[in-house]
Coordinates of all heavy atoms in Angstrom, one line a residue:
M265 N -110.8 -80.2 25.0 CA -111.4 -81.5 24.6 C -111.1 -82.5 25.7 O -110.0 -82.8 26.0 CB -111.0 -81.9 23.3 CG -111.6 -83.3 22.9 SD -111.1 -83.8 21.2 CE -112.6 -83.6 20.4
P266 N -112.1 -83.1 26.3 CA -111.9 -84.1 27.3 C -111.2 -85.4 26.8 O -111.4 -85.7 25.6 CB -113.2 -84.5 27.9 CG -114.2 -83.9 27.0 CD -113.5 -82.9 26.1
Q267 N -110.5 -86.1 27.6 CA -109.8 -87.3 27.3 C -110.5 -88.5 28.0 O -111.0 -88.2 29.1 CB -108.3 -87.3 27.6 CG -107.6 -86.2 26.9 CD -106.1 -86.2 27.3 OE1 -105.7 -86.9 28.2 NE2 -105.4 -85.3 26.7
Y268 N -110.3 -89.7 27.5 CA -110.8 -90.8 28.2 C -109.7 -91.9 28.1 O -109.0 -91.9 27.2 CB -112.1 -91.3 27.7 CG -112.1 -91.6 26.2 CD1 -111.8 -92.9 25.8 CD2 -112.4 -90.7 25.3 CE1 -111.8 -93.2 24.4 CE2 -112.4 -90.9 23.9 CZ -112.1 -92.2 23.5 OH -112.1 -92.5 22.2
K269 N -109.7 -92.7 29.2 CA -108.7 -93.8 29.2 C -109.2 -94.9 30.0 O -109.9 -94.8 31.0 CB -107.5 -93.2 29.9 CG -106.4 -94.2 30.1 CD -105.0 -93.5 30.0 CE -103.9 -94.5 30.2 NZ -103.7 -95.4 29.0
N270 N -108.8 -96.2 29.6 CA -109.1 -97.3 30.4 C -108.0 -97.5 31.4 O -106.9 -98.0 31.1 CB -109.2 -98.6 29.5 CG -109.5 -99.9 30.3 OD1 -109.7 -99.8 31.5 ND2 -109.4 -101.0 29.6
V271 N -108.2 -97.1 32.6 CA -107.1 -97.1 33.6 C -106.8 -98.5 34.1 O -105.7 -98.7 34.7 CB -107.4 -96.2 34.9 CG1 -107.5 -94.8 34.5 CG2 -108.7 -96.7 35.6
M272 N -107.6 -99.5 33.7 CA -107.3 -100.9 34.1 C -106.0 -101.3 33.4 O -105.3 -102.1 33.9 CB -108.5 -101.8 33.7 CG -108.3 -103.2 34.2 SD -108.2 -103.3 36.0 CE -109.9 -103.1 36.5
E273 N -105.8 -100.8 32.2 CA -104.5 -101.1 31.4 C -103.3 -100.7 32.3 O -102.4 -101.6 32.4 CB -104.5 -100.4 30.1 CG -105.5 -100.9 29.1 CD -105.4 -100.2 27.8 OE1 -104.4 -99.6 27.5 OE2 -106.5 -100.2 27.1
N274 N -103.3 -99.5 32.8 CA -102.2 -99.1 33.7 C -102.1 -100.0 34.9 O -101.0 -100.3 35.3 CB -102.4 -97.6 34.1 CG -102.2 -96.7 32.9 OD1 -101.8 -97.1 31.8 ND2 -102.5 -95.4 33.1
L275 N -103.2 -100.3 35.5 CA -103.2 -101.0 36.8 C -102.6 -102.4 36.5 O -101.8 -102.9 37.3 CB -104.6 -101.1 37.4 CG -105.2 -99.8 37.8 CD1 -106.6 -100.0 38.2 CD2 -104.4 -99.2 38.9
V276 N -103.0 -103.1 35.4 CA -102.6 -104.4 35.1 C -101.1 -104.4 34.8 O -100.3 -105.3 35.2 CB -103.4 -105.1 34.0 CG1 -102.8 -106.4 33.5 CG2 -104.8 -105.3 34.5
E277 N -100.6 -103.4 34.0 CA -99.2 -103.3 33.6 C -98.4 -103.1 34.8 O -97.3 -103.7 35.0 CB -99.0 -102.2 32.6 CG -99.6 -102.6 31.2 CD -99.5 -101.4 30.3 OE1 -99.1 -100.3 30.7 OE2 -99.9 -101.6 29.1
E278 N -98.8 -102.2 35.7 CA -98.0 -102.0 37.0 C -98.0 -103.2 37.8 O -96.9 -103.6 38.4 CB -98.7 -100.8 37.7 CG -98.5 -99.5 37.1 CD -99.3 -98.4 37.8 OE1 -99.8 -98.6 38.9 OE2 -99.4 -97.3 37.2
E279 N -99.1 -103.9 38.0 CA -99.1 -105.1 38.8 C -98.3 -106.2 38.2 O -97.5 -106.9 38.9 CB -100.5 -105.6 39.1 CG -100.7 -106.6 40.2 CD -100.4 -106.0 41.5 OE1 -100.4 -104.8 41.7 OE2 -100.2 -106.8 42.5
Y280 N -98.3 -106.4 36.9 CA -97.5 -107.3 36.2 C -96.0 -107.1 36.5 O -95.3 -108.0 36.8 CB -97.8 -107.4 34.7 CG -96.8 -108.3 34.0 CD1 -97.1 -109.7 33.9 CD2 -95.6 -107.9 33.5 CE1 -96.2 -110.5 33.3 CE2 -94.7 -108.7 32.9 CZ -95.1 -110.1 32.8 OH -94.2 -110.9 32.2
S281 N -95.6 -105.8 36.4 CA -94.2 -105.5 36.6 C -93.8 -105.8 38.0 O -92.7 -106.2 38.3 CB -94.0 -104.0 36.3 OG -94.2 -103.7 35.0
R282 N -94.7 -105.6 38.9 CA -94.4 -105.9 40.3 C -94.3 -107.4 40.6 O -93.5 -107.8 41.5 CB -95.5 -105.3 41.2 CG -95.2 -105.2 42.7 CD -96.3 -104.5 43.4 NE -97.5 -105.3 43.6 CZ -97.6 -106.3 44.5 NH1 -96.6 -106.6 45.2 NH2 -98.8 -107.0 44.6
V283 N -95.1 -108.2 40.0 CA -95.1 -109.7 40.3 C -94.6 -110.6 39.2 O -94.7 -111.8 39.4 CB -96.5 -110.1 40.7 CG1 -97.0 -109.3 41.9 CG2 -97.5 -110.0 39.6
A284 N -94.1 -110.1 38.1 CA -93.7 -110.9 37.0 C -92.8 -112.1 37.4 O -93.0 -113.2 36.9 CB -93.1 -110.1 35.9
S285 N -91.9 -111.8 38.3 CA -90.9 -112.9 38.7 C -91.6 -114.0 39.5 O -91.0 -115.1 39.6 CB -89.7 -112.3 39.4 OG -90.2 -111.7 40.6
T286 N -92.7 -113.8 40.0 CA -93.4 -114.8 40.8 C -94.4 -115.6 40.1 O -95.0 -116.5 40.6 CB -94.1 -114.1 42.1 OG1 -95.2 -113.3 41.6 CG2 -93.1 -113.3 42.9
L287 N -94.7 -115.3 38.8 CA -95.7 -115.9 38.0 C -95.3 -117.3 37.4 O -96.1 -118.0 36.9 CB -96.3 -115.0 37.0 CG -97.0 -113.8 37.4 CD1 -97.3 -112.8 36.3 CD2 -98.2 -114.2 38.2
G288 N -94.0 -117.5 37.4 CA -93.5 -118.8 36.8 C -93.7 -118.9 35.3 O -93.8 -119.9 34.8
C289 N -93.6 -117.7 34.7 CA -93.9 -117.6 33.2 C -92.7 -116.9 32.6 O -92.1 -116.0 33.2 CB -95.2 -116.9 33.0 SG -95.7 -116.8 31.3
C290 N -92.5 -117.2 31.3 CA -91.5 -116.4 30.6 C -91.8 -114.9 30.6 O -93.0 -114.6 30.6 CB -91.4 -116.9 29.1 SG -90.3 -116.0 28.1
T291 N -90.8 -114.1 30.7 CA -91.1 -112.7 30.7 C -90.6 -111.9 29.5 O -90.4 -110.7 29.5 CB -90.4 -112.0 32.0 OG1 -89.0 -112.3 32.0 CG2 -91.1 -112.5 33.3
C292 N -90.4 -112.7 28.4 CA -90.0 -112.0 27.1 C -91.2 -111.1 26.7 O -92.3 -111.2 27.3 CB -89.7 -113.0 26.0 SG -91.1 -113.8 25.3
N293 N -90.9 -110.2 25.8 CA -91.9 -109.2 25.5 C -93.2 -109.8 24.9 O -94.3 -109.4 25.3 CB -91.4 -108.2 24.5 CG -92.3 -107.0 24.3 OD1 -92.7 -106.4 25.3 ND2 -92.7 -106.7 23.1
K294 N -93.1 -110.8 24.1 CA -94.3 -111.5 23.6 C -95.1 -112.1 24.7 O -96.3 -112.0 24.7 CB -93.9 -112.5 22.5 CG -95.1 -113.1 21.8 CD -94.7 -113.9 20.6 CE -94.8 -112.9 19.4 NZ -94.7 -113.4 18.1
C295 N -94.5 -112.9 25.6 CA -95.2 -113.5 26.7 C -95.8 -112.5 27.6 O -96.9 -112.6 28.1 CB -94.3 -114.5 27.4 SG -93.9 -116.0 26.5
R296 N -95.0 -111.4 27.9 CA -95.5 -110.3 28.7 C -96.8 -109.7 28.1 O -97.8 -109.6 28.8 CB -94.5 -109.2 28.8 CG -94.9 -108.0 29.6 CD -93.8 -106.9 29.5 NE -94.3 -105.6 29.9 CZ -95.1 -104.8 29.2 NH1 -95.4 -105.1 28.0 NH2 -95.5 -103.7 29.7
C297 N -96.8 -109.4 26.9 CA -98.0 -108.9 26.2 C -99.1 -109.9 26.2 O -100.3 -109.5 26.4 CB -97.6 -108.5 24.8 SG -96.6 -107.0 24.7
D298 N -98.8 -111.1 26.0 CA -99.9 -112.1 26.0 C -100.5 -112.2 27.4 O -101.8 -112.3 27.5 CB -99.4 -113.5 25.6 CG -99.1 -113.6 24.1 OD1 -99.6 -112.8 23.3 OD2 -98.4 -114.6 23.7
V299 N -99.7 -112.3 28.4 CA -100.3 -112.3 29.8 C -101.1 -111.1 30.1 O -102.2 -111.2 30.6 CB -99.1 -112.5 30.9 CG1 -99.6 -112.3 32.3 CG2 -98.4 -113.8 30.7
I300 N -100.6 -109.9 29.8 CA -101.4 -108.7 30.1 C -102.7 -108.7 29.3 O -103.7 -108.3 29.8 CB -100.5 -107.5 29.8 CG1 -99.4 -107.4 30.9 CG2 -101.3 -106.2 29.8 CD1 -98.3 -106.4 30.7
A301 N -102.6 -109.0 28.0 CA -103.8 -109.0 27.2 C -104.8 -110.0 27.7 O -106.0 -109.7 27.8 CB -103.5 -109.2 25.7
Y302 N -104.4 -111.2 28.0 CA -105.3 -112.2 28.5 C -105.9 -111.8 29.8 O -107.2 -111.9 30.0 CB -104.5 -113.5 28.7 CG -105.4 -114.7 28.9 CD1 -105.7 -115.6 27.9 CD2 -105.9 -115.0 30.2 CE1 -106.5 -116.7 28.1 CE2 -106.7 -116.1 30.4 CZ -107.0 -117.0 29.3 OH -107.8 -118.1 29.5
A303 N -105.2 -111.2 30.7 CA -105.7 -110.7 32.0 C -106.7 -109.6 31.8 O -107.8 -109.6 32.4 CB -104.5 -110.2 32.9
L304 N -106.4 -108.7 30.9 CA -107.3 -107.5 30.6 C -108.6 -108.0 30.1 O -109.7 -107.4 30.4 CB -106.6 -106.5 29.6 CG -105.6 -105.6 30.3 CD1 -104.8 -104.9 29.2 CD2 -106.3 -104.6 31.2
N305 N -108.6 -109.1 29.3 CA -109.8 -109.6 28.7 C -110.7 -110.3 29.8 O -111.9 -110.4 29.6 CB -109.5 -110.7 27.6 CG -109.2 -110.0 26.4 OD1 -109.7 -108.9 26.0 ND2 -108.3 -110.5 25.6
M306 N -110.1 -110.6 31.0 CA -110.9 -111.2 32.1 C -111.4 -110.1 33.1 O -112.2 -110.4 33.9 CB -110.0 -112.2 32.9 CG -109.8 -113.5 32.1 SD -108.9 -114.7 33.1 CE -107.3 -114.0 33.2
L307 N -110.9 -108.9 32.9 CA -111.3 -107.8 33.9 C -112.2 -106.8 33.2 O -112.1 -106.6 32.0 CB -110.0 -107.2 34.3 CG -109.0 -108.0 35.1 CD1 -107.6 -107.4 35.2 CD2 -109.6 -108.2 36.5
P308 N -113.1 -106.2 34.0 CA -113.9 -105.2 33.4 C -113.1 -103.9 33.2 O -112.2 -103.6 33.9 CB -114.9 -104.9 34.5 CG -114.2 -105.3 35.8 CD -113.3 -106.4 35.4
P309 N -113.4 -103.2 32.1 CA -112.7 -102.0 31.8 C -113.1 -100.9 32.8 O -114.2 -101.0 33.3 CB -113.1 -101.6 30.4 CG -114.4 -102.3 30.2 CD -114.3 -103.6 31.0
K310 N -112.2 -100.0 33.1 CA -112.5 -98.9 34.0 C -112.1 -97.6 33.3 O -111.0 -97.1 33.4 CB -111.7 -99.0 35.3 CG -112.1 -100.2 36.1 CD -113.5 -100.2 36.6 CE -113.8 -101.4 37.4 NZ -115.3 -101.5 37.7
Y311 N -113.1 -97.1 32.5 CA -112.8 -95.9 31.8 C -113.1 -94.7 32.6 O -114.0 -94.6 33.4 CB -113.7 -95.8 30.5 CG -113.2 -96.7 29.4 CD1 -113.7 -98.0 29.3 CD2 -112.2 -96.3 28.6 CE1 -113.3 -98.8 28.3 CE2 -111.7 -97.1 27.6 CZ -112.3 -98.4 27.5 OH -111.8 -99.2 26.5
V312 N -112.2 -93.7 32.5 CA -112.5 -92.4 33.1 C -112.3 -91.3 32.1 O -111.5 -91.4 31.2 CB -111.5 -92.2 34.3 CG1 -111.7 -93.1 35.4 CG2 -110.0 -92.2 33.8
A313 N -113.1 -90.3 32.2 CA -113.0 -89.1 31.4 C -112.4 -88.0 32.3 O -112.9 -87.8 33.4 CB -114.3 -88.7 30.9
T314 N -111.3 -87.5 31.9 CA -110.6 -86.6 32.8 C -110.1 -85.4 32.1 O -109.9 -85.3 30.9 CB -109.4 -87.3 33.4 OG1 -108.4 -87.5 32.4 CG2 -109.8 -88.6 34.0
N315 N -109.7 -84.4 32.9 CA -108.9 -83.3 32.5 C -107.5 -83.7 33.0 O -107.3 -84.7 33.7 CB -109.3 -82.0 33.1 CG -110.6 -81.6 32.4 OD1 -110.8 -81.7 31.3 ND2 -111.5 -81.0 33.2
R316 N -106.5 -82.9 32.7 CA -105.1 -83.2 33.1 C -105.0 -83.6 34.6 O -105.5 -82.9 35.4 CB -104.2 -82.0 32.8 CG -103.1 -82.3 31.9 CD -102.5 -81.1 31.4 NE -101.3 -80.7 32.2 CZ -100.7 -79.6 32.0 NH1 -101.1 -78.8 31.0 NH2 -99.7 -79.3 32.7
G317 N -104.3 -84.7 34.8 CA -104.0 -85.1 36.2 C -105.0 -85.9 36.9 O -104.6 -86.6 37.9
E318 N -106.2 -85.9 36.5 CA -107.2 -86.7 37.2 C -107.1 -88.2 37.0 O -107.4 -89.0 37.9 CB -108.6 -86.3 36.8 CG -109.1 -85.0 37.4 CD -110.5 -84.7 37.0 OE1 -111.4 -85.5 37.4 OE2 -110.8 -83.7 36.4
V319 N -106.5 -88.6 35.9 CA -106.3 -90.1 35.7 C -105.5 -90.7 36.8 O -105.8 -91.7 37.3 CB -105.7 -90.3 34.3 CG1 -105.2 -91.8 34.2 CG2 -106.6 -90.0 33.2
Y320 N -104.5 -90.0 37.2 CA -103.6 -90.5 38.2 C -104.3 -90.7 39.6 O -104.1 -91.6 40.3 CB -102.3 -89.7 38.3 CG -101.6 -89.7 37.0 CD1 -101.5 -88.6 36.2 CD2 -101.0 -90.9 36.6 CE1 -100.9 -88.7 34.9 CE2 -100.3 -90.9 35.3 CZ -100.3 -89.8 34.5 OH -99.7 -89.9 33.3
S321 N -105.1 -89.7 39.9 CA -105.8 -89.8 41.2 C -106.8 -91.0 41.2 O -107.0 -91.7 42.1 CB -106.4 -88.5 41.6 OG -107.4 -88.1 40.7
K322 N -107.5 -91.1 40.0 CA -108.5 -92.2 39.9 C -107.8 -93.5 39.8 O -108.3 -94.5 40.3 CB -109.4 -91.9 38.7 CG -110.3 -90.8 38.9 CD -111.3 -90.5 37.8 CE -112.1 -89.3 38.2 NZ -113.2 -89.1 37.2
T323 N -106.6 -93.6 39.2 CA -105.9 -94.8 39.2 C -105.5 -95.2 40.6 O -105.6 -96.4 40.9 CB -104.6 -94.6 38.3 OG1 -105.0 -94.3 37.0 CG2 -103.8 -95.9 38.3
F324 N -105.1 -94.3 41.4 CA -104.7 -94.6 42.8 C -105.9 -95.2 43.5 O -105.8 -96.2 44.2 CB -104.2 -93.4 43.5 CG -103.9 -93.7 44.9 CD1 -102.7 -94.3 45.3 CD2 -104.7 -93.2 45.9 CE1 -102.4 -94.6 46.6 CE2 -104.4 -93.5 47.3 CZ -103.2 -94.2 47.6
I325 N -107.1 -94.7 43.3 CA -108.3 -95.2 44.0 C -108.6 -96.6 43.5 O -108.9 -97.5 44.3 CB -109.5 -94.2 43.7 CG1 -109.3 -92.9 44.5 CG2 -110.8 -94.8 44.2 CD1 -110.2 -91.8 44.0
L326 N -108.6 -96.8 42.2 CA -108.9 -98.1 41.7 C -107.9 -99.2 42.0 O -108.2 -100.3 42.2 CB -109.0 -98.0 40.2 CG -110.2 -97.2 39.7 CD1 -110.2 -97.1 38.1 CD2 -111.5 -97.9 40.0
R327 N -106.6 -98.8 42.2 CA -105.6 -99.7 42.5 C -105.9 -100.6 43.7 O -105.8 -101.8 43.7 CB -104.2 -99.0 42.7 CG -103.1 -99.9 43.0 CD -101.8 -99.1 43.1 NE -101.4 -98.5 41.9 CZ -101.1 -97.2 41.7 NH1 -101.2 -96.4 42.7 NH2 -100.8 -96.8 40.5
N328 N -106.3 -100.0 44.8 CA -106.6 -100.7 46.0 C -107.8 -101.6 45.9 O -107.9 -102.6 46.4 CB -106.7 -99.8 47.2 CG -105.3 -99.2 47.5 OD1 -104.3 -99.8 47.3 ND2 -105.3 -97.9 47.9
Q329 N -108.8 -101.1 45.2 CA -110.1 -101.8 45.1 C -110.0 -103.0 44.2 O -110.7 -104.0 44.4 CB -111.2 -100.9 44.5 CG -111.5 -99.7 45.4 CD -112.4 -98.7 44.7 OE1 -112.7 -98.8 43.5 NE2 -112.9 -97.8 45.5
H330 N -109.1 -103.0 43.2 CA -109.1 -104.1 42.3 C -107.8 -105.0 42.3 O -107.6 -105.8 41.4 CB -109.3 -103.5 40.9 CG -110.6 -102.9 40.7 ND1 -111.8 -103.6 40.6 CD2 -111.0 -101.6 40.6 CE1 -112.8 -102.8 40.5 NE2 -112.3 -101.5 40.5
R331 N -106.9 -104.8 43.2 CA -105.7 -105.5 43.2 C -105.9 -107.0 43.3 O -105.2 -107.8 42.6 CB -104.8 -105.1 44.4 CG -103.5 -105.8 44.5 CD -102.5 -105.2 45.4 NE -101.7 -104.3 44.6 CZ -101.1 -103.3 45.1 NH1 -101.1 -103.0 46.3 NH2 -100.4 -102.5 44.3
T332 N -106.8 -107.5 44.1 CA -107.0 -109.0 44.2 C -107.5 -109.5 42.8 O -107.1 -110.6 42.4 CB -108.0 -109.3 45.3 OG1 -107.5 -108.7 46.5 CG2 -108.3 -110.7 45.4
D333 N -108.5 -108.8 42.2 CA -109.0 -109.3 40.9 C -107.9 -109.3 39.9 O -107.8 -110.2 39.1 CB -110.1 -108.4 40.5 CG -111.3 -108.5 41.3 OD1 -111.5 -109.5 42.1 OD2 -112.2 -107.5 41.3
I334 N -107.0 -108.3 39.9 CA -105.9 -108.2 38.9 C -105.0 -109.3 39.1 O -104.5 -110.0 38.2 CB -105.3 -106.8 39.0 CG1 -106.2 -105.7 38.5 CG2 -104.0 -106.8 38.2 CD1 -105.7 -104.3 38.8
M335 N -104.6 -109.6 40.4 CA -103.7 -110.7 40.7 C -104.2 -112.0 40.2 O -103.5 -112.8 39.7 CB -103.3 -110.7 42.2 CG -102.2 -109.8 42.6 SD -100.7 -110.1 41.6 CE -100.4 -111.8 41.9
A336 N -105.5 -112.3 40.5 CA -106.1 -113.5 40.1 C -106.1 -113.7 38.5 O -105.8 -114.7 38.0 CB -107.5 -113.6 40.6
A337 N -106.4 -112.6 37.8 CA -106.4 -112.6 36.4 C -105.0 -112.8 35.8 O -104.8 -113.6 34.9 CB -107.0 -111.3 35.8
L338 N -104.0 -112.2 36.4 CA -102.6 -112.4 36.0 C -102.1 -113.8 36.2 O -101.4 -114.4 35.4 CB -101.7 -111.4 36.7 CG -101.7 -109.9 36.2 CD1 -100.9 -109.0 37.1 CD2 -101.2 -109.8 34.8
A339 N -102.5 -114.4 37.4 CA -102.1 -115.7 37.7 C -102.7 -116.7 36.7 O -102.0 -117.6 36.1 CB -102.5 -116.1 39.1
K340 N -104.0 -116.5 36.3 CA -104.6 -117.4 35.4 C -104.0 -117.2 34.0 O -103.8 -118.2 33.2 CB -106.1 -117.1 35.3 CG -106.9 -118.1 34.4 CD -108.4 -117.9 34.5 CE -109.1 -118.9 33.7 NZ -110.5 -118.8 33.8
A341 N -103.8 -116.0 33.6 CA -103.2 -115.7 32.3 C -101.8 -116.3 32.2 O -101.4 -116.8 31.2 CB -103.1 -114.1 32.1
A342 N -101.0 -116.2 33.2 CA -99.6 -116.7 33.2 C -99.7 -118.2 33.1 O -98.9 -118.8 32.3 CB -98.9 -116.3 34.5
A343 N -100.6 -118.9 33.7 CA -100.8 -120.3 33.6 C -101.1 -120.7 32.1 O -100.5 -121.7 31.6 CB -101.9 -120.9 34.5
V344 N -101.9 -120.0 31.5 CA -102.3 -120.3 30.1 C -101.1 -120.1 29.2 O -100.8 -120.9 28.3 CB -103.5 -119.4 29.6 CG1 -103.7 -119.5 28.1 CG2 -104.7 -119.8 30.4
V345 N -100.4 -118.9 29.4 CA -99.2 -118.6 28.5 C -98.1 -119.6 28.8 O -97.4 -120.0 27.9 CB -98.8 -117.1 28.7 CG1 -97.5 -116.8 28.0 CG2 -99.9 -116.2 28.2
R346 N -97.9 -120.0 30.0 CA -96.9 -120.9 30.4 C -97.1 -122.3 29.7 O -96.1 -122.9 29.2 CB -96.9 -121.1 31.9 CG -95.8 -122.0 32.4 CD -95.7 -122.0 34.0 NE -97.0 -122.2 34.6 CZ -97.6 -121.3 35.4 NH1 -97.0 -120.1 35.6 NH2 -98.8 -121.5 36.0
E347 N -98.3 -122.7 29.5 CA -98.6 -123.9 28.9 C -98.5 -123.9 27.3 O -98.1 -124.9 26.7 CB -100.1 -124.4 29.2 CG -100.3 -124.8 30.6 CD -99.4 -126.0 31.0 OE1 -99.4 -126.9 30.3 OE2 -98.8 -125.9 32.1
Q348 N -98.7 -122.7 26.8 CA -98.6 -122.6 25.3 C -98.0 -121.2 24.9 O -98.7 -120.4 24.4 CB -100.0 -122.7 24.7 CG -100.6 -124.0 24.9 CD -102.0 -124.1 24.2 OE1 -102.6 -123.1 23.8 NE2 -102.5 -125.3 24.1
P349 N -96.7 -121.1 25.2 CA -96.0 -119.8 24.9 C -96.0 -119.6 23.3 O -95.8 -120.6 22.6 CB -94.7 -119.9 25.5 CG -94.4 -121.4 25.6 CD -95.8 -122.0 25.8
R350 N -96.1 -118.4 22.9 CA -96.0 -118.1 21.4 C -94.7 -117.7 20.9 O -94.5 -117.4 19.8 CB -97.1 -117.1 21.0 CG -98.5 -117.5 21.3 CD -99.5 -116.5 20.8 NE -99.2 -115.1 21.0 CZ -99.2 -114.2 20.1 NH1 -99.4 -114.5 18.8 NH2 -98.9 -113.0 20.4
H351 N -93.7 -117.6 21.8 CA -92.3 -117.1 21.4 C -91.5 -118.2 20.7 O -91.8 -119.4 20.9 CB -91.6 -116.5 22.6 CG -91.3 -117.5 23.7 ND1 -92.0 -117.5 24.8 CD2 -90.4 -118.5 23.8 CE1 -91.5 -118.4 25.6 NE2 -90.6 -119.1 25.0

């Protein structure tokens, strides 16, 4: 049975982990989740239907194409969460 996945979730989580300390926002779990969820809502989903292993190769391809969009979304999301943290 084929699987499907929104690889944008992985890309945003990876990029957040890479740049979290530069966003000027609290990094507690609640704020982290808020920033990632807010950013994902600003980005188009990228679903792939794959057999084993293909998700990772497609994730690699998408990573370079969408890094700028992901960074912009994370910066905007961090600004919103920084102004009104829920923790």
